Amino acid sequence: MKTAIITGASVGIGRAAAARFVADGYRVFNLARRECPEAGVDNLSCDLAGDADIARCCETVLDAVTASDSVALIHNASQMRKDSTMDCDSDSLRAVLETNVVAINSINRHLLPSLPAGSSLLYVGSTLAEKAVPGSFSYVLSKHAQLGIMRASCQDLMGSGIHTALICPGFTDTEMLRTHIGDDVTVVQAISAMNSYNRLIEPAEIAELLHWAHHNPVINGSVLHANLGQRES
């Protein structure tokens, strides 16, 4: 049996990843507040800012995990807010970190001890895990933290047969991006022009990379940039 556990698989990259793993015969669990509309996905209502919800969902998937020959644990869910170093109150920062960082740690603590050799621990980061742009302070901070989590977990899992990687999408056509930048055609075109293909990335392209990364432990500890060759400013 093969299992994929994906946070935030309701929309965007998470939904595309769920569809890709279902197509490959995996039992797929979505941990999110909203359901994934893809057929064949087991939806577990989960507030990733709540320890009790996380514990309950992890307990629910545990039987599938222990019965599996391979598990893809994919930390995809994220919050993205418009804020800055000068304008980000601490309560807002805590809320972002609860979803983007603390929830990852909580899920890992519940599930990693039961993951079989041959599993993967994949983090959906961002180009902003290694650089920054103005107006996305808490998101940039949290994505840098995810890079640290991936590198630390790679070291701590040495010899376990579980490999890890940080997948860093560029500007991907998701609900989160559209909410952040709006639907102004001029803005979308300007962002699209920041890579060599002059378009936004499709969620299915990132899903394909996640699927590949799960099956290729040679990339253990790697940062995989998926941005169509993003221009450097």
Side-chain angles (χ1 to χ4, degrees):
M1 185 167 113
K2 303 179 293 185
T3 300
I5 301 163
I6 307 171
T7 63
S10 310
V11 294
I13 291 170
R15 176 181 176 178
R20 181 65 183 88
F21 279 90
V22 166
D24 195 26
Y26 281 70
R27 183 176 184 187
V28 176
F29 292 93
N30 167 38
L31 275 60
R33 285 178 293 181
R34 292 185 287 173
E35 291 192 356
C36 174
E38 298 293 332
V41 174
D42 290 305
N43 288 292
L44 300 178
S45 178
C46 186
D47 178 0
L48 292 170
D51 287 341
D53 260 17
I54 289 173
R56 173 182 52 79
C57 289
C58 288
E59 184 66 28
T60 300
V61 304
L62 204 53
D63 285 345
V65 167
T66 55
S68 294
D69 300 315
S70 175
V71 176
L73 177 54
I74 302 175
H75 293 290
N76 166 73
S78 278
Q79 283 196 55
M80 187 179 197
R81 300 186 179 188
K82 292 183 179 180
D83 51 28
S84 72
T85 308
M86 293 80 71
D87 184 23
C88 177
D89 68 71
S90 293
D91 285 341
S92 179
L93 177 59
R94 287 188 190 97
V96 171
L97 294 179
E98 281 289 340
T99 300
N100 296 11
V101 178
V102 177
I104 289 173
N105 181 65
S106 297
I107 293 169
N108 284 350
R109 290 189 65 216
H110 282 290
L111 296 182
L112 280 180
S114 300
L115 259 58
S119 296
S120 67
L121 176 60
L122 303 177
Y123 304 88
V124 179
S126 166
T127 301
L128 300 181
E130 293 189 315
K131 61 185 289 186
V133 294
S136 300
F137 171 73
S138 59
Y139 185 77
V140 169
L141 189 160
S142 68
K143 291 300 174 179
H144 276 64
Q146 288 178 5
L147 173 58
I149 293 173
M150 185 279 292
R151 286 177 169 160
S153 56
C154 175
Q155 295 300 308
D156 291 335
L157 291 169
M158 285 289 172
S160 67
I162 301 169
H163 69 277
T164 186
L166 181 76
I167 311 303
C168 291
F171 292 108
T172 307
D173 196 0
T174 62
E175 178 184 279
M176 184 172 71
L177 178 67
R178 294 284 182 170
T179 299
H180 194 68
I181 68 172
D183 288 318
D184 187 306
V185 174
T186 303
V187 174
V188 173
Q189 288 175 342
I191 289 175
S192 299
M194 292 176 67
N195 66 62
S196 62
Y197 286 79
N198 198 35
R199 65 173 177 83
L200 296 178
I201 298 158
E202 292 297 327
E205 294 177 290
I206 308 302
E208 190 63 39
L209 180 56
L210 286 164
H211 183 265
W212 178 88
H214 169 64
H215 289 90
N216 287 273
V218 70
I219 50 86
N220 191 22
S222 295
V223 178
L224 303 179
H225 287 284
N227 56 32
L228 293 174
Q230 194 162 296
R231 298 179 188 275
E232 297 296 332
S233 55

